[in-house]
Amino acid sequence: MRQGEVVLETRGLSMHFGGVRAVDRVDFALYENELRCLIGPNGAGKSTFFKCLTGQLRPTAGSVVIRDIHVTEREPFEVAALGVGIKTQVPNVFEGLAVEENIWLSARRWHVPARARSLTAETLERLRLGDIRTSPVGRLAHGQRQWVELGMVVAAEPWLVLLDEPAAGMTHEETVRTAELIREINRTATLIVVEHDMQFIRMISHLVTVFHEGRILMEDTMEAISADSRAREVYLGHRA
Amino acid sequence: MTLARDVRGMLAVAAVGVLFMLVAPSVLELFTIINLTTAIALAVLALSLALIWGYGGILCFGQNAFFGIGAYAYTIAAINFGGSSWAILVAILVAVAFAVIIGYVMFYGRVSDVYLAVITLTVSLILYSLIRRTSGPDYKIGKSLLGGFNGITSPPINLPWDSSFVLFPEHVFYVAMGGLILAYLFTSWLTRTHFGRVCVSIRENELRAELLGYDVRFYKLAIFAVGAGIAGLAGVLFCNGVGRVTPDVFNLYTSALTIIWVIVGGRGTLIGPILGAFGLFYLTSALGTQSTVNNNLVLGIILVVFVLGVPKGVIPTVADWIAARRSRRALRVRERRMRMRRTRGGSGAGVGAGRGSPDGTGAAARASE
Ligand SMILES: Nc1ncnc2c1ncn2[C@@H]1O[C@H](COP(=O)(O)OP(=O)(O)OP(=O)(O)O)[C@@H](O)[C@H]1O
Ligand SMILES: [Mg+2]
């Protein structure tokens, strides 16, 4: 699994909010074509970690390097321009716009009109959003909104994809479909997926990083983590 | 399909405008036409705010700053140049340049929406008090005195190729109406371009637009500058309609009025605020001729009624209502067809269709909400 080049690396990455150390001196490395899962209890700092990676937050200390480029001080749109797609924990979509326009706005950012149109059509089909393509996203059910956001990420054809709880609030079937989709994305892209659902993680991932109180507790396969007493303790109350 | 209907609507509006432009001078009195010119200028101002607030999501409380700058720049330039054509261009460019400067500070400094409203309003009020203090012979730009609170007499527009041929008020009406129609077509087109859709997406969700790779600051600045240019054009038309420019273009009343036109007419449409400006212009001039009720009180009441009762504004509310009716009618047609099929078809198919119909009803009702 650990082969090829490191495409994303953080060194001593810290994000403090007043006294809260949401992310605390994290050294993290992601290899090309990996599908990494990030788990950890509520408030472990997973989302904050993602925000630091994508320029949404300026880290208090440390650095983020994506493909040899220092992005620590960059704006989110500049990080996106490197080919990084992110799905946020709380869905960020264009509520008042139709599903297809949401997707089109993503595809059109990087492509000429004709290609953007065909890419939009492809993405709608791939995510099975064809039937609702003219509905405003604000009227959709939660699971569908998640997929619209996923569609926006996919339509940009990123090579690095960060997904923050992509299956949250989904039915079992939707979750299975999302897992399929993530594996499909992984054929052409490197991914980090934050999830709480252990079943889901078993479906998709090999290597899992456990966050706890802003730090990396351990990094191993799901089997090893399930067997580990520290990890179980941290996750007490969660399905493991 | 929907886009085609959209474009047809835009062209229909423009056609009505052209028709009005051609017919009005021959059926209306000169006094009415002169008055209309002023109303048209204000409608262009409303359009500029409709663009940047309704589509760009930028609540600029001092949109009239660019309007006033346009009027002053035109007047001063026309006096100095001895002609109007370059003065119009100068007026628009000065308004745009001013917007780029304050817009750069606000958008690249990531000022929040509330502060943006406050800053733009403050800018307008500062201009108001500055320009009011410019009475006397010391305050002049080139050949033009600034005139303090009395303002400056604005030279009327002349033919582009002959600066000695000055347009009569009825001709200025054509210019104003032409300006409004062109500005409307331009903004309608702009809101359909990739640029325009990105601006709308920023209005919907700034973070998402940024994460898709759009430089939000740049788009906001750009649409803000375009809006300022249109407001500058409105200023040019306004001082031509009134015949002079005074510091009142910068006052709080004008700031508030511009916002009210957009709220009443409806955000997210272009025609709404245009009609809002016309409607309230005639309402306030009708109220101006009597003295039983206070003008500002009526405007205040209108604002409150709309904010509480018709928050989307007139045009979007009417459009929703028509859409709801249309989908109800489509539903009835579908149900009738279904019933006919049921009576004609066999019992097995009939049960299937009957079961299908409540589902269809639910979905359509939801869609029409
Ligand atoms: N903007 C902020 N200001 C102050 N504190 C914050 C901010 N954002 C996050 N935090 C704090 O940082 C810690 C980590 O939060 P974060 O959202 O990254 O956790 P998480 O691992 O994503 O949790 P969850 O699984 O619930 O999504 C929490 O204690 C949270 O309260
Ligand atoms: Mg989180």
Side-chain angles (χ1 to χ4, degrees):
Chain A
M1 192 56 4
R2 298 212 148 201
Q3 43 188 278
E5 60 168 320
V6 173
V7 290
L8 168 75
E9 191 173 13
T10 72
R11 283 187 221 110
L13 189 69
S14 301
M15 184 73 229
H16 300 172
F17 300 106
V20 180
R21 298 177 167 215
V23 175
D24 196 19
R25 283 169 287 160
V26 168
D27 297 317
F28 177 88
L30 184 73
Y31 292 79
E32 188 159 22
N33 297 326
E34 224 187 305
L35 198 179
R36 180 79 66 92
C37 271
L38 213 59
I39 63 171
N42 295 109
K46 306 176 297 289
S47 299
T48 307
F49 181 61
F50 267 21
K51 285 179 188 161
C52 291
L53 299 183
T54 51
Q56 293 174 66
L57 286 172
R58 288 274 138 85
T60 316
S63 64
V64 178
V65 180
I66 295 177
R67 282 227 159 122
D68 299 328
I69 298 168
H70 276 268
V71 299
T72 324
E73 298 287 309
R74 301 291 178 95
E75 298 286 337
F77 78 91
E78 292 172 307
V79 178
L82 297 175
V84 180
I86 180 167
K87 191 210 148 309
T88 50
Q89 182 169 355
V90 180
N92 271 296
V93 285
F94 305 125
E95 303 278 351
L97 305 183
V99 170
E100 60 184 347
E101 191 166 19
N102 272 263
I103 311 279
W104 177 82
L105 279 160
S106 174
R108 183 69 181 90
R109 173 67 185 90
W110 312 110
H111 295 98
V112 296
R115 176 78 188 111
R117 260 196 307 277
S118 63
L119 199 54
T120 304
E122 276 166 38
T123 307
L124 287 171
E125 191 170 337
R126 196 168 161 193
L127 283 125
R128 302 183 187 167
L129 295 168
D131 294 341
I132 51 165
R133 58 173 220 286
T134 55
S135 317
V137 177
R139 292 216 193 109
L140 301 181
H142 183 73
Q144 287 176 319
R145 286 151 53 88
Q146 297 263 59
W147 271 343
V148 172
E149 198 180 21
L150 218 47
M152 281 199 267
V153 172
V154 171
E157 301 186 305
W159 63 267
L160 177 60
V161 176
L162 311 178
L163 304 176
D164 200 344
E165 306 201 10
M170 284 190 174
T171 63
H172 181 67
E173 282 129 77
E174 285 173 331
T175 305
V176 170
R177 170 82 189 118
T178 305
E180 258 168 50
L181 201 74
I182 288 173
R183 277 197 299 264
E184 211 178 292
I185 296 171
N186 189 219
R187 284 211 283 269
T188 55
T190 308
L191 285 102
I192 311 178
V193 181
V194 169
E195 257 303 333
H196 282 299
D197 185 341
M198 298 300 155
Q199 234 97 48
F200 182 78
I201 291 165
R202 286 203 181 87
M203 276 189 255
I204 59 170
S205 189
H206 181 72
L207 197 62
V208 177
T209 300
V210 185
F211 256 63
H212 180 51
E213 292 177 347
R215 297 194 183 197
I216 294 179
L217 185 70
M218 61 188 296
E219 219 162 62
D220 215 322
T221 59
M222 199 61 230
E223 289 74 43
I225 288 169
S226 307
D228 187 271
S229 59
R230 279 178 310 161
R232 275 225 297 273
E233 197 177 311
V234 163
Y235 249 109
L236 215 62
H238 279 274
R239 286 184 282 157
Chain B
M1 182 62 208
T2 48
L3 192 78
R5 197 186 327 164
D6 241 33
V7 173
R8 252 184 286 146
M10 161 183 121
L11 294 177
V13 168
V16 170
V18 171
L19 196 69
F20 181 72
M21 175 170 88
L22 296 178
V23 172
S26 50
V27 294
L28 298 173
E29 284 172 44
L30 182 60
F31 171 76
T32 316
I33 289 293
I34 293 172
N35 236 333
L36 254 175
T37 306
T38 308
I40 292 164
L42 297 177
V44 175
L45 173 59
L47 178 66
S48 75
L49 188 63
L51 179 70
I52 70 156
W53 188 21
Y55 287 80
I58 302 165
L59 174 50
C60 172
F61 215 113
Q63 188 66 6
N64 57 315
F66 310 115
F67 173 73
I69 285 171
Y72 268 98
Y74 165 81
T75 304
I76 293 164
I79 289 172
N80 279 292
F81 298 164
S84 68
S85 304
W86 289 108
I88 295 173
L89 195 67
V90 165
I92 293 171
L93 291 181
V94 169
V96 169
F98 189 73
V100 168
I101 293 167
I102 65 167
Y104 185 84
V105 175
M106 292 189 304
F107 299 123
Y108 280 73
R110 305 247 188 210
V111 166
S112 75
D113 293 349
V114 179
Y115 282 106
L116 191 141
V118 173
I119 289 171
T120 51
L121 178 63
T122 310
V123 164
S124 181
L125 292 177
I126 288 172
L127 287 171
Y128 176 63
S129 63
L130 282 181
I131 203 86
R132 270 174 64 91
R133 292 205 199 113
T134 58
S135 330
D138 295 340
Y139 295 98
K140 57 179 184 181
I141 296 176
K143 285 186 267 177
S144 165
L145 290 171
L146 292 180
F149 54 80
N150 287 323
I152 326 171
T153 303
S154 303
I157 291 176
N158 55 257
L159 287 178
W161 55 88
D162 181 4
S163 61
S164 62
F165 191 102
V166 168
L167 297 190
F168 290 112
E170 58 266 43
H171 299 142
V172 175
F173 166 79
Y174 289 119
V175 174
M177 200 61 205
L180 174 61
I181 293 167
L182 287 180
Y184 170 75
L185 287 174
F186 171 71
T187 46
S188 298
W189 167 78
L190 190 67
T191 55
R192 286 175 176 81
T193 59
H194 180 215
F195 170 81
R197 299 321 294 169
V198 173
C199 291
V200 170
S201 78
I202 292 170
R203 174 195 76 190
E204 291 292 315
N205 191 326
E206 198 167 322
L207 177 60
R208 178 39 73 193
E210 179 104 25
L211 293 176
L212 291 186
Y214 293 108
D215 185 354
V216 167
R217 305 166 302 182
F218 168 78
Y219 281 90
K220 284 185 160 185
L221 178 58
I223 199 161
F224 187 65
V226 170
I230 295 170
L233 172 69
V236 172
L237 300 174
F238 182 76
C239 66
N240 262 281
V242 179
R244 66 186 304 111
V245 53
T246 67
D248 286 340
V249 287
F250 294 116
N251 70 15
L252 182 61
Y253 180 74
T254 315
S255 300
L257 208 51
T258 314
I259 300 276
I260 295 174
W261 296 328
V262 178
I263 289 176
V264 169
R267 264 160 297 161
T269 72
L270 296 171
I271 191 67
I274 291 175
L275 297 178
F278 276 113
L280 289 187
F281 177 80
Y282 280 100
L283 182 71
T284 43
S285 25
L287 290 174
T289 56
Q290 52 84 50
S291 53
T292 31
V293 280
N294 180 294
N295 218 334
N296 291 342
L297 185 70
V298 174
L299 277 179
I301 290 171
I302 288 176
L303 181 63
V304 170
V305 165
F306 270 84
V307 167
L308 296 178
V310 199
K312 280 175 151 182
V314 172
I315 296 294
T317 305
V318 171
D320 284 356
W321 183 72
I322 291 174
R325 263 182 61 124
R326 193 177 286 153
S327 76
R328 259 202 306 276
R329 189 172 323 137
L331 189 69
R332 264 201 304 275
V333 170
R334 205 172 336 135
E335 269 176 355
R336 201 175 314 137
R337 234 179 263 146
M338 211 94 84
R339 227 174 294 134
M340 260 152 60
R341 211 178 310 149
R342 211 175 314 162
T343 49
R344 246 187 288 134
S347 63
V351 173
R355 217 182 275 143
S357 118
D359 285 347
T361 317
R366 244 174 286 131
S368 71
E369 250 172 37

